[in-house]
PDB file of all heavy atoms in Angstrom:
ATOM      1  N   GLN A  83      -4.079  10.993  -8.030  1.00  0.00           N
ATOM      2  CA  GLN A  83      -3.048  11.786  -8.732  1.00  0.00           C
ATOM      3  C   GLN A  83      -2.024  10.857  -9.322  1.00  0.00           C
ATOM      4  O   GLN A  83      -1.562  10.946 -10.451  1.00  0.00           O
ATOM      5  CB  GLN A  83      -2.362  12.699  -7.812  1.00  0.00           C
ATOM      6  CG  GLN A  83      -1.348  13.599  -8.571  1.00  0.00           C
ATOM      7  CD  GLN A  83      -0.724  14.644  -7.530  1.00  0.00           C
ATOM      8  OE1 GLN A  83      -0.985  14.588  -6.334  1.00  0.00           O
ATOM      9  NE2 GLN A  83       0.141  15.514  -8.135  1.00  0.00           N
ATOM     10  N   GLN A  84      -1.689   9.714  -8.554  1.00  0.00           N
ATOM     11  CA  GLN A  84      -0.708   8.770  -9.103  1.00  0.00           C
ATOM     12  C   GLN A  84      -1.272   8.031 -10.261  1.00  0.00           C
ATOM     13  O   GLN A  84      -0.497   7.838 -11.304  1.00  0.00           O
ATOM     14  CB  GLN A  84      -0.415   7.756  -7.944  1.00  0.00           C
ATOM     15  CG  GLN A  84       0.422   8.249  -6.817  1.00  0.00           C
ATOM     16  CD  GLN A  84       0.533   7.234  -5.760  1.00  0.00           C
ATOM     17  OE1 GLN A  84       0.926   6.023  -5.932  1.00  0.00           O
ATOM     18  NE2 GLN A  84       0.238   7.569  -4.517  1.00  0.00           N
ATOM     19  N   GLY A  85      -2.483   7.727 -10.383  1.00  0.00           N
ATOM     20  CA  GLY A  85      -3.130   7.078 -11.471  1.00  0.00           C
ATOM     21  C   GLY A  85      -3.120   7.978 -12.661  1.00  0.00           C
ATOM     22  O   GLY A  85      -2.800   7.535 -13.763  1.00  0.00           O
ATOM     23  N   GLU A  86      -3.402   9.276 -12.459  1.00  0.00           N
ATOM     24  CA  GLU A  86      -3.493  10.189 -13.585  1.00  0.00           C
ATOM     25  C   GLU A  86      -2.045  10.411 -14.156  1.00  0.00           C
ATOM     26  O   GLU A  86      -1.865  10.560 -15.327  1.00  0.00           O
ATOM     27  CB  GLU A  86      -4.143  11.501 -13.114  1.00  0.00           C
ATOM     28  CG  GLU A  86      -5.571  11.302 -12.820  1.00  0.00           C
ATOM     29  CD  GLU A  86      -6.300  12.677 -12.265  1.00  0.00           C
ATOM     30  OE1 GLU A  86      -5.511  13.498 -11.933  1.00  0.00           O
ATOM     31  OE2 GLU A  86      -7.508  12.767 -12.283  1.00  0.00           O
ATOM     32  N   GLU A  87      -1.092  10.496 -13.199  1.00  0.00           N
ATOM     33  CA  GLU A  87       0.262  10.743 -13.647  1.00  0.00           C
ATOM     34  C   GLU A  87       0.855   9.530 -14.432  1.00  0.00           C
ATOM     35  O   GLU A  87       1.528   9.683 -15.359  1.00  0.00           O
ATOM     36  CB  GLU A  87       1.178  11.117 -12.515  1.00  0.00           C
ATOM     37  CG  GLU A  87       0.888  12.445 -11.889  1.00  0.00           C
ATOM     38  CD  GLU A  87       1.709  12.714 -10.594  1.00  0.00           C
ATOM     39  OE1 GLU A  87       2.406  11.746 -10.122  1.00  0.00           O
ATOM     40  OE2 GLU A  87       1.749  13.830 -10.142  1.00  0.00           O
ATOM     41  N   ALA A  88       0.425   8.329 -14.013  1.00  0.00           N
ATOM     42  CA  ALA A  88       0.833   7.174 -14.745  1.00  0.00           C
ATOM     43  C   ALA A  88       0.200   7.171 -16.161  1.00  0.00           C
ATOM     44  O   ALA A  88       0.931   6.776 -17.108  1.00  0.00           O
ATOM     45  CB  ALA A  88       0.270   5.869 -14.007  1.00  0.00           C
ATOM     46  N   LEU A  89      -0.985   7.604 -16.325  1.00  0.00           N
ATOM     47  CA  LEU A  89      -1.531   7.681 -17.671  1.00  0.00           C
ATOM     48  C   LEU A  89      -0.763   8.732 -18.494  1.00  0.00           C
ATOM     49  O   LEU A  89      -0.499   8.419 -19.655  1.00  0.00           O
ATOM     50  CB  LEU A  89      -2.968   8.118 -17.560  1.00  0.00           C
ATOM     51  CG  LEU A  89      -3.733   8.401 -18.937  1.00  0.00           C
ATOM     52  CD1 LEU A  89      -3.730   7.179 -19.801  1.00  0.00           C
ATOM     53  CD2 LEU A  89      -5.165   8.832 -18.608  1.00  0.00           C
ATOM     54  N   GLN A  90      -0.437   9.821 -18.001  1.00  0.00           N
ATOM     55  CA  GLN A  90       0.309  10.833 -18.709  1.00  0.00           C
ATOM     56  C   GLN A  90       1.689  10.310 -19.092  1.00  0.00           C
ATOM     57  O   GLN A  90       2.121  10.588 -20.230  1.00  0.00           O
ATOM     58  CB  GLN A  90       0.448  12.098 -17.911  1.00  0.00           C
ATOM     59  CG  GLN A  90      -0.895  12.747 -17.678  1.00  0.00           C
ATOM     60  CD  GLN A  90      -1.620  13.182 -18.978  1.00  0.00           C
ATOM     61  OE1 GLN A  90      -1.077  13.665 -19.863  1.00  0.00           O
ATOM     62  NE2 GLN A  90      -2.874  12.783 -19.097  1.00  0.00           N
ATOM     63  N   LYS A  91       2.320   9.623 -18.216  1.00  0.00           N
ATOM     64  CA  LYS A  91       3.686   8.969 -18.467  1.00  0.00           C
ATOM     65  C   LYS A  91       3.535   8.040 -19.603  1.00  0.00           C
ATOM     66  O   LYS A  91       4.362   8.042 -20.535  1.00  0.00           O
ATOM     67  CB  LYS A  91       4.164   8.339 -17.201  1.00  0.00           C
ATOM     68  CG  LYS A  91       5.550   7.612 -17.469  1.00  0.00           C
ATOM     69  CD  LYS A  91       6.033   6.944 -16.123  1.00  0.00           C
ATOM     70  CE  LYS A  91       7.354   6.297 -16.385  1.00  0.00           C
ATOM     71  NZ  LYS A  91       7.822   5.656 -15.115  1.00  0.00           N
ATOM     72  N   ALA A  92       2.566   7.157 -19.628  1.00  0.00           N
ATOM     73  CA  ALA A  92       2.332   6.156 -20.650  1.00  0.00           C
ATOM     74  C   ALA A  92       2.032   6.880 -22.072  1.00  0.00           C
ATOM     75  O   ALA A  92       2.607   6.432 -23.025  1.00  0.00           O
ATOM     76  CB  ALA A  92       1.216   5.277 -20.306  1.00  0.00           C
ATOM     77  N   LEU A  93       1.291   7.932 -22.023  1.00  0.00           N
ATOM     78  CA  LEU A  93       1.021   8.583 -23.286  1.00  0.00           C
ATOM     79  C   LEU A  93       2.251   9.257 -23.817  1.00  0.00           C
ATOM     80  O   LEU A  93       2.451   9.266 -25.058  1.00  0.00           O
ATOM     81  CB  LEU A  93      -0.128   9.618 -23.134  1.00  0.00           C
ATOM     82  CG  LEU A  93      -1.540   9.038 -22.706  1.00  0.00           C
ATOM     83  CD1 LEU A  93      -2.491  10.182 -22.546  1.00  0.00           C
ATOM     84  CD2 LEU A  93      -2.056   8.115 -23.872  1.00  0.00           C
ATOM     85  N   ARG A  94       3.037   9.771 -22.965  1.00  0.00           N
ATOM     86  CA  ARG A  94       4.357  10.389 -23.453  1.00  0.00           C
ATOM     87  C   ARG A  94       5.240   9.342 -24.013  1.00  0.00           C
ATOM     88  O   ARG A  94       5.840   9.651 -25.095  1.00  0.00           O
ATOM     89  CB  ARG A  94       5.040  11.123 -22.276  1.00  0.00           C
ATOM     90  CG  ARG A  94       4.430  12.403 -21.760  1.00  0.00           C
ATOM     91  CD  ARG A  94       5.293  13.207 -20.934  1.00  0.00           C
ATOM     92  NE  ARG A  94       5.605  12.493 -19.701  1.00  0.00           N
ATOM     93  CZ  ARG A  94       4.936  12.576 -18.557  1.00  0.00           C
ATOM     94  NH1 ARG A  94       3.857  13.396 -18.521  1.00  0.00           N
ATOM     95  NH2 ARG A  94       5.254  11.921 -17.476  1.00  0.00           N
ATOM     96  N   ILE A  95       5.276   8.114 -23.468  1.00  0.00           N
ATOM     97  CA  ILE A  95       6.099   7.090 -24.012  1.00  0.00           C
ATOM     98  C   ILE A  95       5.592   6.681 -25.424  1.00  0.00           C
ATOM     99  O   ILE A  95       6.292   6.520 -26.361  1.00  0.00           O
ATOM    100  CB  ILE A  95       6.198   5.821 -23.115  1.00  0.00           C
ATOM    101  CG1 ILE A  95       6.894   6.213 -21.797  1.00  0.00           C
ATOM    102  CG2 ILE A  95       6.746   4.658 -23.838  1.00  0.00           C
ATOM    103  CD1 ILE A  95       6.775   5.130 -20.718  1.00  0.00           C
ATOM    104  N   LEU A  96       4.251   6.546 -25.564  1.00  0.00           N
ATOM    105  CA  LEU A  96       3.744   6.132 -26.820  1.00  0.00           C
ATOM    106  C   LEU A  96       3.849   7.226 -27.937  1.00  0.00           C
ATOM    107  O   LEU A  96       3.939   6.819 -29.083  1.00  0.00           O
ATOM    108  CB  LEU A  96       2.149   5.820 -26.647  1.00  0.00           C
ATOM    109  CG  LEU A  96       1.879   4.540 -25.801  1.00  0.00           C
ATOM    110  CD1 LEU A  96       0.401   4.569 -25.465  1.00  0.00           C
ATOM    111  CD2 LEU A  96       2.328   3.310 -26.464  1.00  0.00           C
ATOM    112  N   LYS A  97       4.026   8.439 -27.538  1.00  0.00           N
ATOM    113  CA  LYS A  97       4.183   9.505 -28.518  1.00  0.00           C
ATOM    114  C   LYS A  97       5.588   9.602 -29.009  1.00  0.00           C
ATOM    115  O   LYS A  97       5.956  10.379 -29.982  1.00  0.00           O
ATOM    116  CB  LYS A  97       3.619  10.839 -27.938  1.00  0.00           C
ATOM    117  CG  LYS A  97       2.140  10.870 -27.811  1.00  0.00           C
ATOM    118  CD  LYS A  97       1.699  12.140 -27.242  1.00  0.00           C
ATOM    119  CE  LYS A  97       0.117  12.169 -27.061  1.00  0.00           C
ATOM    120  NZ  LYS A  97      -0.343  13.353 -26.380  1.00  0.00           N
ATOM    121  N   GLN A  98       6.535   9.069 -28.276  1.00  0.00           N
ATOM    122  CA  GLN A  98       7.924   9.218 -28.675  1.00  0.00           C
ATOM    123  C   GLN A  98       8.228   8.591 -29.992  1.00  0.00           C
ATOM    124  O   GLN A  98       7.659   7.541 -30.361  1.00  0.00           O
ATOM    125  CB  GLN A  98       8.849   8.644 -27.609  1.00  0.00           C
ATOM    126  CG  GLN A  98       8.836   9.424 -26.275  1.00  0.00           C
ATOM    127  CD  GLN A  98       9.865   8.872 -25.271  1.00  0.00           C
ATOM    128  OE1 GLN A  98      10.718   8.088 -25.612  1.00  0.00           O
ATOM    129  NE2 GLN A  98       9.666   9.320 -24.014  1.00  0.00           N
TER     130      GLN A  98
END
Side-chain angles (χ1 to χ4, degrees):
Q83 183 178 7
Q84 289 175 52
E86 293 177 343
E87 290 176 350
L89 174 58
Q90 294 305 309
K91 179 179 179 181
L93 294 178
R94 286 194 297 269
I95 292 174
L96 290 170
K97 289 178 181 178
Q98 292 185 13

